[in-house]
Short mmCIF file of all heavy atoms in Angstrom, two decimals:
data_model
loop_
_atom_site.label_atom_id
_atom_site.label_comp_id
_atom_site.label_asym_id
_atom_site.label_seq_id
_atom_site.Cartn_x
_atom_site.Cartn_y
_atom_site.Cartn_z
N MET H 1 4.15 -46.90 10.89
CA MET H 1 4.40 -46.54 9.44
C MET H 1 3.06 -46.51 8.78
O MET H 1 2.22 -47.40 8.93
CB MET H 1 5.27 -47.59 8.83
CG MET H 1 5.51 -47.36 7.40
SD MET H 1 6.72 -48.42 6.66
CE MET H 1 5.76 -49.86 6.24
N ARG H 2 2.80 -45.44 8.05
CA ARG H 2 1.51 -45.34 7.34
C ARG H 2 1.76 -45.58 5.86
O ARG H 2 2.72 -45.07 5.27
CB ARG H 2 0.94 -43.93 7.44
CG ARG H 2 0.31 -43.69 8.79
CD ARG H 2 -0.41 -42.37 8.73
NE ARG H 2 -1.29 -42.31 9.87
CZ ARG H 2 -1.81 -41.19 10.36
NH1 ARG H 2 -1.63 -40.09 9.70
NH2 ARG H 2 -2.64 -41.25 11.39
N LEU H 3 0.87 -46.28 5.31
CA LEU H 3 0.91 -46.56 3.84
C LEU H 3 -0.34 -45.93 3.20
O LEU H 3 -1.42 -46.06 3.70
CB LEU H 3 0.88 -48.09 3.59
CG LEU H 3 2.03 -48.88 4.13
CD1 LEU H 3 1.76 -50.38 3.84
CD2 LEU H 3 3.32 -48.47 3.48
N LEU H 4 -0.14 -45.15 2.16
CA LEU H 4 -1.21 -44.53 1.52
C LEU H 4 -1.46 -45.25 0.21
O LEU H 4 -0.62 -45.59 -0.52
CB LEU H 4 -0.91 -43.05 1.21
CG LEU H 4 -0.58 -42.23 2.42
CD1 LEU H 4 -0.27 -40.77 1.95
CD2 LEU H 4 -1.81 -42.17 3.33
N ARG H 5 -2.77 -45.51 -0.05
CA ARG H 5 -3.16 -46.28 -1.26
C ARG H 5 -4.46 -45.67 -1.77
O ARG H 5 -5.42 -45.58 -1.02
CB ARG H 5 -3.29 -47.76 -0.91
CG ARG H 5 -3.76 -48.54 -2.14
CD ARG H 5 -4.34 -49.85 -1.81
NE ARG H 5 -3.24 -50.84 -1.61
CZ ARG H 5 -3.54 -52.09 -1.23
NH1 ARG H 5 -4.74 -52.47 -0.94
NH2 ARG H 5 -2.54 -52.96 -1.05
N LYS H 6 -4.51 -45.44 -3.04
CA LYS H 6 -5.75 -44.97 -3.66
C LYS H 6 -6.59 -46.19 -3.85
O LYS H 6 -6.13 -47.16 -4.50
CB LYS H 6 -5.50 -44.28 -5.01
CG LYS H 6 -6.69 -43.79 -5.67
CD LYS H 6 -6.35 -43.04 -6.98
CE LYS H 6 -7.55 -42.46 -7.66
NZ LYS H 6 -7.16 -41.69 -8.85
N ILE H 7 -7.84 -46.18 -3.39
CA ILE H 7 -8.71 -47.38 -3.50
C ILE H 7 -9.82 -47.22 -4.51
O ILE H 7 -10.55 -48.14 -4.78
CB ILE H 7 -9.28 -47.78 -2.12
CG1 ILE H 7 -10.12 -46.64 -1.52
CG2 ILE H 7 -8.22 -48.26 -1.18
CD1 ILE H 7 -10.85 -46.99 -0.26
N GLY H 8 -9.98 -46.01 -5.11
CA GLY H 8 -11.02 -45.85 -6.08
C GLY H 8 -11.34 -44.38 -6.28
O GLY H 8 -10.80 -43.50 -5.67
N HIS H 9 -12.24 -44.12 -7.25
CA HIS H 9 -12.74 -42.77 -7.47
C HIS H 9 -14.18 -42.91 -7.95
O HIS H 9 -14.61 -43.93 -8.41
CB HIS H 9 -11.91 -42.03 -8.52
CG HIS H 9 -11.93 -42.60 -9.90
ND1 HIS H 9 -11.18 -43.72 -10.27
CD2 HIS H 9 -12.71 -42.31 -10.97
CE1 HIS H 9 -11.47 -44.01 -11.50
NE2 HIS H 9 -12.38 -43.17 -11.95
N GLY H 10 -14.94 -41.77 -7.73
CA GLY H 10 -16.33 -41.73 -8.16
C GLY H 10 -17.17 -41.20 -7.07
O GLY H 10 -16.66 -40.76 -6.02
N SER H 11 -18.45 -41.20 -7.25
CA SER H 11 -19.34 -40.65 -6.24
C SER H 11 -19.71 -41.64 -5.10
O SER H 11 -20.16 -41.24 -4.08
CB SER H 11 -20.64 -40.20 -6.90
OG SER H 11 -21.26 -41.29 -7.55
N SER H 12 -19.33 -42.89 -5.33
CA SER H 12 -19.61 -43.95 -4.29
C SER H 12 -18.52 -45.03 -4.44
O SER H 12 -18.33 -45.56 -5.45
CB SER H 12 -21.01 -44.50 -4.50
OG SER H 12 -21.23 -45.57 -3.56
N ILE H 13 -17.87 -45.31 -3.34
CA ILE H 13 -16.80 -46.31 -3.37
C ILE H 13 -17.14 -47.40 -2.27
O ILE H 13 -17.46 -47.08 -1.16
CB ILE H 13 -15.44 -45.70 -2.97
CG1 ILE H 13 -15.11 -44.55 -3.88
CG2 ILE H 13 -14.34 -46.78 -2.94
CD1 ILE H 13 -14.88 -44.92 -5.32
N SER H 14 -17.04 -48.64 -2.69
CA SER H 14 -17.22 -49.72 -1.73
C SER H 14 -15.95 -50.59 -1.68
O SER H 14 -15.37 -50.88 -2.77
CB SER H 14 -18.40 -50.67 -2.18
OG SER H 14 -19.61 -50.01 -2.13
N VAL H 15 -15.56 -50.87 -0.45
CA VAL H 15 -14.29 -51.64 -0.38
C VAL H 15 -14.36 -52.55 0.87
O VAL H 15 -15.06 -52.25 1.84
CB VAL H 15 -13.09 -50.63 -0.24
CG1 VAL H 15 -13.14 -49.82 1.04
CG2 VAL H 15 -11.74 -51.40 -0.34
N THR H 16 -13.78 -53.74 0.76
CA THR H 16 -13.76 -54.67 1.91
C THR H 16 -12.33 -54.77 2.35
O THR H 16 -11.34 -54.57 1.60
CB THR H 16 -14.32 -56.02 1.55
OG1 THR H 16 -13.48 -56.62 0.51
CG2 THR H 16 -15.71 -55.93 1.02
N ALA H 17 -12.11 -55.19 3.64
CA ALA H 17 -10.79 -55.38 4.16
C ALA H 17 -10.08 -56.51 3.34
O ALA H 17 -8.89 -56.38 3.10
CB ALA H 17 -10.88 -55.76 5.65
N GLY H 18 -10.81 -57.55 2.93
CA GLY H 18 -10.21 -58.62 2.17
C GLY H 18 -9.67 -58.10 0.85
O GLY H 18 -8.60 -58.62 0.37
N SER H 19 -10.33 -57.23 0.20
CA SER H 19 -9.85 -56.71 -1.13
C SER H 19 -8.60 -55.88 -0.98
O SER H 19 -7.84 -55.68 -1.92
CB SER H 19 -10.97 -55.87 -1.79
OG SER H 19 -11.18 -54.64 -1.10
N LEU H 20 -8.37 -55.36 0.26
CA LEU H 20 -7.11 -54.59 0.50
C LEU H 20 -6.03 -55.46 1.10
O LEU H 20 -4.96 -54.97 1.42
CB LEU H 20 -7.39 -53.44 1.50
CG LEU H 20 -8.39 -52.34 1.01
CD1 LEU H 20 -8.70 -51.37 2.09
CD2 LEU H 20 -7.84 -51.71 -0.23
N ARG H 21 -6.30 -56.76 1.22
CA ARG H 21 -5.38 -57.74 1.80
C ARG H 21 -4.85 -57.40 3.20
O ARG H 21 -3.71 -57.43 3.49
CB ARG H 21 -4.14 -57.91 0.81
CG ARG H 21 -4.54 -58.45 -0.53
CD ARG H 21 -3.28 -58.74 -1.37
NE ARG H 21 -3.70 -59.06 -2.74
CZ ARG H 21 -3.65 -58.23 -3.78
NH1 ARG H 21 -3.17 -57.03 -3.59
NH2 ARG H 21 -4.00 -58.67 -4.96
N LEU H 22 -5.85 -57.01 4.03
CA LEU H 22 -5.53 -56.67 5.41
C LEU H 22 -5.64 -57.94 6.25
O LEU H 22 -6.53 -58.71 6.09
CB LEU H 22 -6.44 -55.58 5.97
CG LEU H 22 -6.38 -54.20 5.25
CD1 LEU H 22 -7.42 -53.28 5.83
CD2 LEU H 22 -4.97 -53.64 5.41
N SER H 23 -4.74 -58.07 7.23
CA SER H 23 -4.88 -59.19 8.13
C SER H 23 -5.52 -58.71 9.42
O SER H 23 -5.57 -57.48 9.65
CB SER H 23 -3.52 -59.79 8.40
OG SER H 23 -2.66 -58.80 8.94
N GLY H 24 -5.95 -59.61 10.28
CA GLY H 24 -6.62 -59.31 11.49
C GLY H 24 -5.79 -58.43 12.43
O GLY H 24 -4.58 -58.50 12.41
N GLY H 25 -6.48 -57.56 13.16
CA GLY H 25 -5.79 -56.69 14.09
C GLY H 25 -5.25 -55.38 13.50
O GLY H 25 -4.79 -54.54 14.30
N LEU H 26 -5.28 -55.21 12.26
CA LEU H 26 -4.82 -53.96 11.72
C LEU H 26 -5.95 -52.95 11.68
O LEU H 26 -7.05 -53.25 11.47
CB LEU H 26 -4.26 -54.12 10.27
CG LEU H 26 -3.07 -54.98 10.09
CD1 LEU H 26 -2.67 -55.13 8.59
CD2 LEU H 26 -1.86 -54.38 10.84
N GLN H 27 -5.55 -51.63 11.87
CA GLN H 27 -6.52 -50.61 11.78
C GLN H 27 -6.44 -49.93 10.44
O GLN H 27 -5.35 -49.81 9.85
CB GLN H 27 -6.31 -49.54 12.92
CG GLN H 27 -6.56 -50.08 14.26
CD GLN H 27 -6.39 -49.03 15.26
OE1 GLN H 27 -5.80 -47.95 15.04
NE2 GLN H 27 -6.88 -49.27 16.49
N MET H 28 -7.60 -49.46 9.96
CA MET H 28 -7.65 -48.82 8.67
C MET H 28 -8.44 -47.52 8.81
O MET H 28 -9.48 -47.47 9.41
CB MET H 28 -8.31 -49.73 7.64
CG MET H 28 -8.45 -49.11 6.27
SD MET H 28 -9.18 -50.19 5.00
CE MET H 28 -10.80 -50.43 5.65
N SER H 29 -7.91 -46.43 8.21
CA SER H 29 -8.58 -45.17 8.12
C SER H 29 -8.77 -44.87 6.68
O SER H 29 -7.82 -44.99 5.88
CB SER H 29 -7.85 -44.09 8.84
OG SER H 29 -7.76 -44.35 10.18
N VAL H 30 -9.91 -44.34 6.29
CA VAL H 30 -10.23 -43.95 4.91
C VAL H 30 -10.49 -42.47 4.87
O VAL H 30 -11.34 -42.00 5.65
CB VAL H 30 -11.37 -44.73 4.30
CG1 VAL H 30 -11.65 -44.26 2.92
CG2 VAL H 30 -11.09 -46.23 4.34
N TYR H 31 -9.75 -41.75 4.03
CA TYR H 31 -9.97 -40.33 3.92
C TYR H 31 -10.31 -39.96 2.51
O TYR H 31 -9.54 -40.26 1.56
CB TYR H 31 -8.68 -39.55 4.30
CG TYR H 31 -8.23 -39.85 5.71
CD1 TYR H 31 -7.28 -40.83 6.00
CD2 TYR H 31 -8.76 -39.14 6.73
CE1 TYR H 31 -6.85 -41.08 7.25
CE2 TYR H 31 -8.38 -39.41 8.10
CZ TYR H 31 -7.41 -40.35 8.38
OH TYR H 31 -7.03 -40.64 9.58
N PRO H 32 -11.49 -39.27 2.29
CA PRO H 32 -11.81 -38.86 0.95
C PRO H 32 -11.04 -37.67 0.43
O PRO H 32 -10.70 -36.79 1.34
CB PRO H 32 -13.33 -38.56 1.08
CG PRO H 32 -13.45 -38.19 2.47
CD PRO H 32 -12.45 -38.97 3.28
N GLU H 33 -10.77 -37.59 -0.80
CA GLU H 33 -10.20 -36.41 -1.38
C GLU H 33 -11.21 -35.95 -2.36
O GLU H 33 -11.59 -36.63 -3.37
CB GLU H 33 -8.90 -36.83 -2.08
CG GLU H 33 -8.09 -35.65 -2.56
CD GLU H 33 -6.74 -36.03 -3.06
OE1 GLU H 33 -6.33 -37.22 -2.96
OE2 GLU H 33 -6.04 -35.16 -3.66
N VAL H 34 -11.74 -34.75 -2.10
CA VAL H 34 -12.87 -34.22 -2.87
C VAL H 34 -12.41 -33.04 -3.70
O VAL H 34 -11.76 -32.09 -3.21
CB VAL H 34 -14.02 -33.84 -1.96
CG1 VAL H 34 -15.19 -33.25 -2.74
CG2 VAL H 34 -14.43 -34.95 -1.07
N TYR H 35 -12.77 -33.06 -4.97
CA TYR H 35 -12.45 -31.95 -5.88
C TYR H 35 -13.75 -31.35 -6.32
O TYR H 35 -14.67 -32.08 -6.68
CB TYR H 35 -11.70 -32.43 -7.10
CG TYR H 35 -10.37 -33.06 -6.78
CD1 TYR H 35 -10.23 -34.49 -6.66
CD2 TYR H 35 -9.31 -32.25 -6.60
CE1 TYR H 35 -9.06 -34.99 -6.37
CE2 TYR H 35 -8.05 -32.82 -6.29
CZ TYR H 35 -7.92 -34.23 -6.16
OH TYR H 35 -6.70 -34.77 -5.89
N GLU H 36 -13.82 -30.02 -6.26
CA GLU H 36 -15.03 -29.32 -6.75
C GLU H 36 -14.89 -29.17 -8.26
O GLU H 36 -13.90 -28.63 -8.72
CB GLU H 36 -15.18 -27.99 -6.09
CG GLU H 36 -16.44 -27.24 -6.51
CD GLU H 36 -16.61 -25.88 -5.84
OE1 GLU H 36 -15.99 -25.70 -4.79
OE2 GLU H 36 -17.27 -25.05 -6.36
N ILE H 37 -15.90 -29.59 -8.96
CA ILE H 37 -15.93 -29.37 -10.40
C ILE H 37 -17.09 -28.41 -10.66
O ILE H 37 -18.24 -28.73 -10.34
CB ILE H 37 -16.16 -30.69 -11.17
CG1 ILE H 37 -15.01 -31.64 -10.85
CG2 ILE H 37 -16.23 -30.47 -12.63
CD1 ILE H 37 -15.22 -33.06 -11.41
N GLY H 38 -16.86 -27.31 -11.16
CA GLY H 38 -17.91 -26.36 -11.32
C GLY H 38 -17.53 -25.29 -12.30
O GLY H 38 -16.57 -25.40 -13.02
N PRO H 39 -18.24 -24.21 -12.32
CA PRO H 39 -19.39 -23.91 -11.50
C PRO H 39 -20.65 -24.60 -11.88
O PRO H 39 -20.76 -25.19 -13.02
CB PRO H 39 -19.59 -22.42 -11.68
CG PRO H 39 -19.13 -22.19 -13.09
CD PRO H 39 -18.00 -23.17 -13.32
N TYR H 40 -21.57 -24.73 -11.02
CA TYR H 40 -22.88 -25.37 -11.25
C TYR H 40 -23.94 -24.38 -11.30
O TYR H 40 -23.89 -23.33 -10.68
CB TYR H 40 -23.14 -26.38 -10.14
CG TYR H 40 -22.31 -27.61 -10.09
CD1 TYR H 40 -21.22 -27.65 -9.23
CD2 TYR H 40 -22.50 -28.62 -10.99
CE1 TYR H 40 -20.37 -28.78 -9.24
CE2 TYR H 40 -21.64 -29.73 -11.03
CZ TYR H 40 -20.63 -29.84 -10.13
OH TYR H 40 -19.84 -30.92 -10.17
N THR H 41 -24.99 -24.69 -12.04
CA THR H 41 -26.17 -23.84 -12.17
C THR H 41 -27.43 -24.67 -11.87
O THR H 41 -27.52 -25.82 -12.38
CB THR H 41 -26.26 -23.28 -13.64
OG1 THR H 41 -25.10 -22.59 -13.91
CG2 THR H 41 -27.47 -22.42 -13.76
N VAL H 42 -28.32 -24.14 -11.10
CA VAL H 42 -29.57 -24.79 -10.80
C VAL H 42 -30.51 -24.50 -12.04
O VAL H 42 -30.68 -23.38 -12.44
CB VAL H 42 -30.24 -24.25 -9.52
CG1 VAL H 42 -31.69 -24.88 -9.33
CG2 VAL H 42 -29.38 -24.56 -8.32
N LEU H 43 -31.03 -25.57 -12.64
CA LEU H 43 -31.98 -25.41 -13.77
C LEU H 43 -33.28 -24.93 -13.23
O LEU H 43 -33.80 -25.46 -12.24
CB LEU H 43 -32.10 -26.69 -14.53
CG LEU H 43 -30.79 -27.27 -15.15
CD1 LEU H 43 -31.15 -28.54 -15.90
CD2 LEU H 43 -30.15 -26.25 -15.99
N THR H 44 -33.85 -23.93 -13.84
CA THR H 44 -35.11 -23.38 -13.37
C THR H 44 -36.13 -23.23 -14.54
O THR H 44 -35.74 -23.22 -15.74
CB THR H 44 -34.90 -21.93 -12.80
OG1 THR H 44 -34.38 -21.11 -13.75
CG2 THR H 44 -33.92 -21.99 -11.59
N THR H 45 -37.35 -23.11 -14.16
CA THR H 45 -38.41 -22.79 -15.10
C THR H 45 -38.30 -21.29 -15.47
O THR H 45 -37.51 -20.53 -14.90
CB THR H 45 -39.78 -23.08 -14.52
OG1 THR H 45 -39.97 -22.20 -13.36
CG2 THR H 45 -39.93 -24.48 -14.06
N LYS H 46 -39.17 -20.87 -16.44
CA LYS H 46 -39.14 -19.46 -16.81
C LYS H 46 -39.50 -18.52 -15.64
O LYS H 46 -39.03 -17.40 -15.60
CB LYS H 46 -40.16 -19.25 -17.97
CG LYS H 46 -39.65 -19.81 -19.27
CD LYS H 46 -40.64 -19.48 -20.39
CE LYS H 46 -40.13 -20.07 -21.70
NZ LYS H 46 -41.03 -19.79 -22.80
N SER H 47 -40.29 -19.04 -14.71
CA SER H 47 -40.65 -18.20 -13.59
C SER H 47 -39.61 -18.28 -12.43
O SER H 47 -39.77 -17.61 -11.44
CB SER H 47 -41.97 -18.70 -13.00
OG SER H 47 -41.97 -20.07 -12.55
N GLY H 48 -38.51 -19.02 -12.62
CA GLY H 48 -37.44 -19.03 -11.67
C GLY H 48 -37.52 -20.13 -10.62
O GLY H 48 -36.62 -20.24 -9.78
N ASP H 49 -38.48 -21.01 -10.71
CA ASP H 49 -38.62 -22.16 -9.78
C ASP H 49 -37.65 -23.27 -10.22
O ASP H 49 -37.52 -23.58 -11.38
CB ASP H 49 -40.06 -22.69 -9.78
CG ASP H 49 -41.05 -21.68 -9.26
OD1 ASP H 49 -40.74 -20.96 -8.35
OD2 ASP H 49 -42.18 -21.70 -9.81
N PRO H 50 -36.97 -23.90 -9.30
CA PRO H 50 -36.03 -24.99 -9.57
C PRO H 50 -36.77 -26.19 -10.24
O PRO H 50 -37.93 -26.53 -9.82
CB PRO H 50 -35.48 -25.43 -8.18
CG PRO H 50 -35.75 -24.32 -7.31
CD PRO H 50 -37.02 -23.60 -7.77
N ILE H 51 -36.15 -26.73 -11.26
CA ILE H 51 -36.74 -27.92 -11.90
C ILE H 51 -36.29 -29.11 -11.07
O ILE H 51 -35.11 -29.24 -10.65
CB ILE H 51 -36.23 -28.06 -13.38
CG1 ILE H 51 -36.67 -26.83 -14.19
CG2 ILE H 51 -36.68 -29.39 -13.99
CD1 ILE H 51 -36.06 -26.79 -15.57
N ARG H 52 -37.23 -30.04 -10.77
CA ARG H 52 -36.96 -31.18 -9.89
C ARG H 52 -37.28 -32.47 -10.62
O ARG H 52 -38.08 -32.49 -11.56
CB ARG H 52 -37.84 -31.08 -8.63
CG ARG H 52 -37.52 -29.84 -7.80
CD ARG H 52 -38.39 -29.78 -6.59
NE ARG H 52 -38.08 -28.61 -5.76
CZ ARG H 52 -37.21 -28.54 -4.81
NH1 ARG H 52 -36.49 -29.60 -4.50
NH2 ARG H 52 -37.03 -27.43 -4.15
N THR H 53 -36.62 -33.53 -10.13
CA THR H 53 -36.87 -34.89 -10.64
C THR H 53 -38.13 -35.48 -9.96
O THR H 53 -38.69 -34.82 -9.05
CB THR H 53 -35.71 -35.87 -10.30
OG1 THR H 53 -35.62 -35.96 -8.91
CG2 THR H 53 -34.35 -35.30 -10.88
N GLY H 54 -38.53 -36.60 -10.35
CA GLY H 54 -39.67 -37.31 -9.73
C GLY H 54 -39.45 -37.59 -8.24
O GLY H 54 -40.37 -37.72 -7.51
N ALA H 55 -38.15 -37.64 -7.85
CA ALA H 55 -37.83 -37.92 -6.46
C ALA H 55 -37.63 -36.58 -5.71
O ALA H 55 -37.07 -36.54 -4.61
CB ALA H 55 -36.54 -38.74 -6.36
N ASN H 56 -38.05 -35.44 -6.31
CA ASN H 56 -38.02 -34.09 -5.70
C ASN H 56 -36.57 -33.58 -5.57
O ASN H 56 -36.31 -32.78 -4.70
CB ASN H 56 -38.75 -34.11 -4.36
CG ASN H 56 -39.21 -32.70 -4.04
OD1 ASN H 56 -39.47 -31.88 -4.93
ND2 ASN H 56 -39.32 -32.32 -2.79
N GLU H 57 -35.64 -34.05 -6.38
CA GLU H 57 -34.23 -33.58 -6.32
C GLU H 57 -34.11 -32.42 -7.30
O GLU H 57 -34.67 -32.49 -8.42
CB GLU H 57 -33.28 -34.68 -6.64
CG GLU H 57 -33.33 -35.87 -5.66
CD GLU H 57 -32.59 -37.11 -6.23
OE1 GLU H 57 -32.59 -37.32 -7.47
OE2 GLU H 57 -32.00 -37.78 -5.36
N VAL H 58 -33.42 -31.42 -6.88
CA VAL H 58 -33.16 -30.24 -7.75
C VAL H 58 -32.15 -30.67 -8.82
O VAL H 58 -31.17 -31.31 -8.50
CB VAL H 58 -32.64 -29.06 -6.93
CG1 VAL H 58 -32.23 -27.95 -7.86
CG2 VAL H 58 -33.67 -28.55 -5.92
N ILE H 59 -32.43 -30.26 -10.03
CA ILE H 59 -31.48 -30.61 -11.13
C ILE H 59 -30.51 -29.47 -11.35
O ILE H 59 -30.90 -28.32 -11.41
CB ILE H 59 -32.34 -30.88 -12.46
CG1 ILE H 59 -33.29 -31.98 -12.25
CG2 ILE H 59 -31.37 -31.10 -13.60
CD1 ILE H 59 -34.22 -32.25 -13.43
N ILE H 60 -29.24 -29.86 -11.36
CA ILE H 60 -28.15 -28.94 -11.60
C ILE H 60 -27.40 -29.27 -12.87
O ILE H 60 -27.41 -30.37 -13.28
CB ILE H 60 -27.20 -28.84 -10.38
CG1 ILE H 60 -26.50 -30.19 -10.15
CG2 ILE H 60 -27.95 -28.32 -9.17
CD1 ILE H 60 -25.43 -30.13 -9.11
N ALA H 61 -26.73 -28.27 -13.40
CA ALA H 61 -25.92 -28.49 -14.61
C ALA H 61 -24.60 -27.82 -14.41
O ALA H 61 -24.45 -26.84 -13.70
CB ALA H 61 -26.59 -27.91 -15.83
N ARG H 62 -23.55 -28.38 -14.99
CA ARG H 62 -22.26 -27.81 -14.88
C ARG H 62 -22.13 -26.76 -15.99
O ARG H 62 -22.48 -26.92 -17.07
CB ARG H 62 -21.18 -28.84 -15.07
CG ARG H 62 -19.80 -28.47 -14.56
CD ARG H 62 -18.78 -29.51 -14.64
NE ARG H 62 -19.21 -30.79 -15.07
CZ ARG H 62 -18.41 -31.80 -15.32
NH1 ARG H 62 -17.13 -31.63 -15.12
NH2 ARG H 62 -18.82 -32.95 -15.65
N GLY H 63 -21.62 -25.60 -15.58
CA GLY H 63 -21.31 -24.57 -16.53
C GLY H 63 -22.11 -23.27 -16.31
O GLY H 63 -22.85 -23.07 -15.48
#
């Protein structure tokens, strides 16, 4: 018998077996459900180069 339970939402989820009240010997599978929210646009300079953060990540905007 499979039980489905939503354990969280967001860009990063942390969960422990204890927080799910699992006892020893049980197996657990976690499946993400991903929704695309968009469209996204890469922000660029006037010359068309992508704008980047200090960590060299490309900046995107929704819309």
Side-chain angles (χ1 to χ4, degrees):
M1 179 171 82
R2 285 191 165 164
L3 299 175
L4 300 177
R5 180 198 274 177
K6 183 177 180 177
I7 59 173
H9 67 276
S11 60
S12 177
I13 305 296
S14 295
V15 65
T16 63
S19 69
L20 297 175
R21 298 186 187 102
L22 297 176
S23 58
L26 293 178
Q27 292 183 346
M28 177 177 65
S29 297
V30 178
Y31 300 96
E33 188 172 353
V34 179
Y35 299 96
E36 180 179 340
I37 301 171
Y40 290 100
T41 303
V42 174
L43 299 182
T44 61
T45 63
K46 288 183 181 181
S47 62
D49 296 322
I51 298 173
R52 297 179 182 270
T53 67
N56 205 29
E57 299 168 325
V58 173
I59 299 175
I60 61 173
R62 199 174 356 173

